Amino acid sequence: MTQRLVVIGAGGFGREVLDVIEAINSCAATPEFEPIGVLDDGTPEAAVLGPYGVQHLGPVSLLGDLPHDVGYVIGIGSPGVRQALDQKGLDLGRVSPVLVHPSAAIGRHAVELGPGTIVCSHVSITNNIRLGRHVHVNLNATIGHDAVLDDYVTLSPLVAISGNVHAETGVFFGTGANVNPGLTIGRGAVVGTGAAVIKDVPAGLTVVGVPAKPRA
Ligand SMILES: CC(C)(COP(=O)(O)OP(=O)(O)OC[C@H]1O[C@@H](n2cnc3c(N)ncnc32)[C@H](O)[C@@H]1OP(=O)(O)O)[C@@H](O)C(=O)NCCC(=O)NCCS
């Protein structure tokens, strides 16, 4: 059955989420998802959304007025914003489908993807891996064996998470960040673009550079 949904957030990543939905549907005999529109508190340009055949329905508060079968995914990279929006959706009892681009390589053994998780094109996820609610795995990211990414973690493009890494709730990884095996990245930490993380990162800290150190 086709799952109707809205994409919350109509910025650049919101459109990339629509790309993922189009790619999934193009591989299915009948569409798996029907995006009925986008919700955004701003005013996205109709011309940018037009090619996707979706419209801006209105602000996020409209979610509660939509028919009950309409689920939601969140096309916003900020973990904190995503967490707050997901709480609204949960309070309304809405479902959050998992979106996996058909070009992603997902291992067959013990891979769990939480509700609302979005896996973009050319991602690799191997085995015994757990991703929480609304985790974003952006273009070409890799996740090694036995990794755990808690709720609302964001992997920007080309991030490499080694085996046995644990990223706690709401960690943000900038583009091209790398993490050595077995490390824990504490709740709400930020790992800058291109960083090489070689030791545990305390909760809430921003680290940058090679090797990664607290930002100046
Ligand atoms: C880490 C990050 C969040 C810091 O942002 P910020 O708090 O605004 O930091 P600033 O730009 O004010 O920089 C503060 C200092 O850290 C340094 N710095 C910032 N990001 C850095 C990075 N990724 N690598 C090395 N140094 C960095 C700056 O050069 C500056 O140093 P200085 O004071 O000696 O000049 C940001 O730079 C970053 O990497 N964001 C990720 C973006 C991304 O990948 N988005 C995904 C798009 S899909």
Short mmCIF file of all heavy atoms in Angstrom, two decimals, residues 4 41 43-44 48 86 102 118-120 125-126 128 141 160 162 165 175 196-197 203 209 216:
data_model
loop_
_atom_site.label_atom_id
_atom_site.label_comp_id
_atom_site.label_asym_id
_atom_site.label_seq_id
_atom_site.Cartn_x
_atom_site.Cartn_y
_atom_site.Cartn_z
N ARG A 4 1.15 7.68 2.30
CA ARG A 4 1.16 9.13 2.08
C ARG A 4 2.00 9.80 3.16
O ARG A 4 1.98 9.37 4.32
CB ARG A 4 -0.26 9.69 2.11
CG ARG A 4 -1.12 9.08 1.01
CD ARG A 4 -2.32 9.95 0.70
NE ARG A 4 -3.23 10.11 1.82
CZ ARG A 4 -4.18 11.03 1.87
NH1 ARG A 4 -4.34 11.88 0.87
NH2 ARG A 4 -4.99 11.10 2.91
N ASP A 41 7.81 26.58 7.76
CA ASP A 41 7.35 27.86 8.32
C ASP A 41 7.79 29.05 7.47
O ASP A 41 7.30 30.16 7.66
CB ASP A 41 7.85 28.02 9.76
CG ASP A 41 7.13 27.06 10.71
OD1 ASP A 41 6.09 26.48 10.30
OD2 ASP A 41 7.61 26.87 11.85
N THR A 43 8.69 30.47 3.28
CA THR A 43 7.93 30.47 2.02
C THR A 43 8.82 29.96 0.89
O THR A 43 9.44 30.73 0.16
CB THR A 43 7.43 31.88 1.67
OG1 THR A 43 8.52 32.80 1.83
CG2 THR A 43 6.28 32.31 2.55
N PRO A 44 8.92 28.63 0.77
CA PRO A 44 9.76 28.07 -0.30
C PRO A 44 9.21 28.44 -1.68
O PRO A 44 8.01 28.59 -1.85
CB PRO A 44 9.66 26.56 -0.06
CG PRO A 44 8.48 26.36 0.82
CD PRO A 44 8.25 27.62 1.57
N VAL A 48 10.84 25.86 -7.37
CA VAL A 48 11.83 24.85 -6.98
C VAL A 48 11.13 23.53 -6.65
O VAL A 48 11.66 22.45 -6.92
CB VAL A 48 12.64 25.36 -5.77
CG1 VAL A 48 13.60 24.30 -5.27
CG2 VAL A 48 13.41 26.61 -6.15
N ASP A 86 9.96 16.16 15.66
CA ASP A 86 9.52 14.77 15.82
C ASP A 86 8.61 14.64 17.03
O ASP A 86 7.64 13.87 17.02
CB ASP A 86 10.73 13.85 15.95
CG ASP A 86 10.32 12.38 15.99
OD1 ASP A 86 9.36 12.01 15.29
OD2 ASP A 86 10.95 11.61 16.74
N PRO A 102 17.59 3.54 -3.23
CA PRO A 102 17.90 2.21 -3.79
C PRO A 102 19.38 1.96 -4.06
O PRO A 102 19.80 0.79 -4.16
CB PRO A 102 17.10 2.15 -5.09
CG PRO A 102 16.31 3.40 -5.17
CD PRO A 102 16.62 4.29 -4.02
N ILE A 118 16.53 8.48 7.35
CA ILE A 118 16.67 8.72 5.91
C ILE A 118 18.08 8.35 5.48
O ILE A 118 19.06 8.86 6.04
CB ILE A 118 16.39 10.20 5.57
CG1 ILE A 118 14.96 10.56 5.97
CG2 ILE A 118 16.62 10.46 4.07
CD1 ILE A 118 14.66 12.05 5.88
N VAL A 119 18.17 7.44 4.53
CA VAL A 119 19.46 6.98 4.02
C VAL A 119 19.55 7.43 2.56
O VAL A 119 18.75 7.04 1.72
CB VAL A 119 19.59 5.45 4.14
CG1 VAL A 119 20.90 4.96 3.54
CG2 VAL A 119 19.46 5.01 5.59
N CYS A 120 20.52 8.28 2.27
CA CYS A 120 20.64 8.89 0.93
C CYS A 120 21.45 8.00 -0.01
O CYS A 120 21.87 6.90 0.35
CB CYS A 120 21.29 10.26 1.06
SG CYS A 120 20.29 11.42 2.00
N ILE A 125 26.14 0.65 4.72
CA ILE A 125 25.91 0.29 6.12
C ILE A 125 26.11 -1.22 6.19
O ILE A 125 25.48 -1.95 5.43
CB ILE A 125 24.46 0.67 6.55
CG1 ILE A 125 24.28 2.20 6.49
CG2 ILE A 125 24.14 0.13 7.93
CD1 ILE A 125 22.87 2.69 6.83
N THR A 126 27.00 -1.70 7.05
CA THR A 126 27.35 -3.12 6.97
C THR A 126 26.46 -3.99 7.85
O THR A 126 25.31 -4.23 7.50
CB THR A 126 28.85 -3.35 7.22
OG1 THR A 126 29.17 -2.91 8.54
CG2 THR A 126 29.70 -2.61 6.18
N ASN A 128 25.08 -5.53 11.96
CA ASN A 128 24.94 -5.33 13.41
C ASN A 128 25.02 -3.85 13.78
O ASN A 128 25.86 -3.43 14.59
CB ASN A 128 25.98 -6.16 14.16
CG ASN A 128 25.68 -7.65 14.06
OD1 ASN A 128 24.92 -8.18 14.85
ND2 ASN A 128 26.21 -8.28 13.03
N ALA A 141 27.94 8.41 2.83
CA ALA A 141 28.46 8.12 4.17
C ALA A 141 28.62 6.61 4.35
O ALA A 141 27.97 5.82 3.65
CB ALA A 141 27.51 8.67 5.23
N ALA A 160 32.62 8.98 7.62
CA ALA A 160 32.98 7.58 7.79
C ALA A 160 32.96 7.22 9.28
O ALA A 160 33.81 7.70 10.05
CB ALA A 160 34.36 7.31 7.19
N SER A 162 33.51 4.35 11.85
CA SER A 162 34.14 3.02 11.93
C SER A 162 33.32 2.08 12.83
O SER A 162 32.38 2.51 13.50
CB SER A 162 35.54 3.15 12.50
OG SER A 162 36.32 4.00 11.72
N VAL A 165 31.56 2.25 16.89
CA VAL A 165 31.39 3.64 17.35
C VAL A 165 29.99 3.80 17.91
O VAL A 165 29.03 3.21 17.42
CB VAL A 165 31.61 4.63 16.17
CG1 VAL A 165 31.08 6.03 16.50
CG2 VAL A 165 33.09 4.69 15.81
N THR A 175 30.54 17.39 7.00
CA THR A 175 30.95 16.67 5.79
C THR A 175 32.37 16.12 5.91
O THR A 175 33.29 16.81 6.31
CB THR A 175 30.87 17.63 4.59
OG1 THR A 175 29.53 18.09 4.47
CG2 THR A 175 31.29 16.95 3.30
N ALA A 196 39.14 14.40 12.01
CA ALA A 196 39.50 12.99 12.26
C ALA A 196 39.43 12.78 13.77
O ALA A 196 40.28 13.29 14.51
CB ALA A 196 40.90 12.70 11.75
N VAL A 197 38.43 12.06 14.21
CA VAL A 197 38.21 11.87 15.65
C VAL A 197 38.98 10.65 16.10
O VAL A 197 38.76 9.53 15.60
CB VAL A 197 36.71 11.70 15.96
CG1 VAL A 197 36.48 11.54 17.45
CG2 VAL A 197 35.91 12.89 15.42
N ALA A 203 30.05 15.00 25.77
CA ALA A 203 28.75 15.55 25.37
C ALA A 203 28.83 17.05 25.18
O ALA A 203 29.49 17.75 25.96
CB ALA A 203 27.70 15.21 26.43
N GLY A 209 39.26 19.53 13.15
CA GLY A 209 40.65 19.33 12.75
C GLY A 209 41.12 17.90 12.75
O GLY A 209 40.40 16.97 13.05
N ALA A 216 38.42 26.30 18.80
CA ALA A 216 38.94 27.48 19.51
C ALA A 216 37.79 28.39 19.93
O ALA A 216 36.81 28.49 19.23
CB ALA A 216 39.88 28.24 18.59
#
